[in-house]
Amino acid sequence: QVQLVESGGGSVQTGGSLRLSCEASGDVGYCVGWFRQAPGKERERVASISIDHWANAADSVRARFTASRDKDENTFYLTMNNLQVHDTAMYYCAAGGTPCHAGYCCTLPGVYEHWGQGTQVTVSS
């Protein structure tokens, strides 16, 4: 049974930073991704990292968001810098997938089978 528990969300002002954590248990598979969903909008992937450390961020956040994992490999992080009002959303950690070249498959939303409950990020001006 895979369990994913997010934490670290909160309220910040424009330009601030947050680091979200995803505590994982069970076999997460090959990919751990970070997604967000704002009210009235579709869910979108913002960043991901494979178990062999291929990290990727979506074009819209690449200069500001970074996915990483800790040394014991049970906790995954999303570091978000220079947060803007449009980054306000519920952020989710997800896991799944099987190995692929350079972690490319981790950019594909369809590989994710397991989801956390989410953590809210609110950015105000």
Side-chain angles (χ1 to χ4, degrees), residues 28-83:
V28 300
Y30 183 68
C31 305
V32 173
W34 289 94
F35 292 75
R36 68 184 180 187
Q37 188 166 23
K41 295 188 176 181
E42 292 187 358
R43 186 173 61 196
E44 62 172 340
R45 185 192 69 92
V46 294
S48 55
I49 187 166
S50 67
I51 60 171
D52 52 359
H53 300 278
W54 289 100
N56 178 275
D59 289 345
S60 59
V61 301
R62 183 158 295 152
R64 302 184 295 123
F65 290 14
T66 304
S68 61
R69 64 188 302 180
D70 68 3
K71 60 181 180 179
D72 67 18
E73 302 183 340
N74 289 331
T75 304
F76 299 82
Y77 303 102
L78 178 67
T79 301
M80 305 184 294
N81 297 317
N82 191 22
L83 283 161

Side-chain angles (χ1 to χ4, degrees), residues 2 27-33 49-51 94-100 103-114:
V2 177
D27 182 4
V28 300
Y30 183 68
C31 305
V32 173
I49 187 166
S50 67
I51 60 171
T98 54
C100 61
Y104 173 74
C105 54
C106 299
T107 67
L108 306 175
V111 306
Y112 295 97
E113 305 168 77
H114 311 286

Side-chain angles (χ1 to χ4, degrees), residues 7-20 34-36 44 46-47 60-66 78-91 119-125:
S7 62
S11 297
V12 297
Q13 292 191 320
T14 301
S17 297
L18 283 174
R19 189 177 77 162
L20 306 184
W34 289 94
F35 292 75
R36 68 184 180 187
E44 62 172 340
V46 294
S60 59
V61 301
R62 183 158 295 152
R64 302 184 295 123
F65 290 14
T66 304
L78 178 67
T79 301
M80 305 184 294
N81 297 317
N82 191 22
L83 283 161
Q84 303 297 313
V85 173
H86 64 258
D87 294 317
T88 295
M90 185 70 80
Y91 283 72
T119 185
Q120 178 69 36
V121 171
T122 302
V123 185
S124 58
S125 58

